[in-house]
Amino acid sequence: MIPMVSVLMPVYKTAPYLREAMDSVLSQTFTDFELIVLNDCSPDNAEEILDTYDDVRIVRYKGVKNVGLSN
């Protein structure tokens, strides 16, 4: 089933705020959503933080090269 809402979260040098941001989205009372996380080759430990989540609503994409948000 396709979720009603898609939340896009770009990730680049956001490790200090990533867990708080993801927890905020995932704890909403409205649950018919997908959280699309786009790791734009973040040089910090964002990937390790993302690895700690096991939620079927999270869709992860990892870029092979930093291209910026607009791409």
Side-chain angles (χ1 to χ4, degrees), residues 4-5 22-33 57:
M4 183 178 280
V5 175
M22 290 188 61
D23 289 347
S24 176
V25 173
L26 294 171
S27 67
Q28 298 299 308
T29 56
F30 180 81
T31 58
D32 189 13
F33 67 87
R57 298 173 294 178

Side-chain angles (χ1 to χ4, degrees), residues 22-50:
M22 290 188 61
D23 289 347
S24 176
V25 173
L26 294 171
S27 67
Q28 298 299 308
T29 56
F30 180 81
T31 58
D32 189 13
F33 67 87
E34 64 182 344
L35 173 58
I36 303 170
V37 180
L38 172 60
N39 184 351
D40 195 18
C41 294
S42 189
D44 54 19
N45 67 328
E47 198 65 25
E48 289 82 16
I49 294 170
L50 293 171

Side-chain angles (χ1 to χ4, degrees), residues 11-12 38-43 61-69 71:
V11 174
Y12 186 75
L38 172 60
N39 184 351
D40 195 18
C41 294
S42 189
Y61 293 97
K62 183 176 181 185
V64 293
K65 174 181 153 186
N66 177 261
V67 293
L69 181 58
N71 282 311

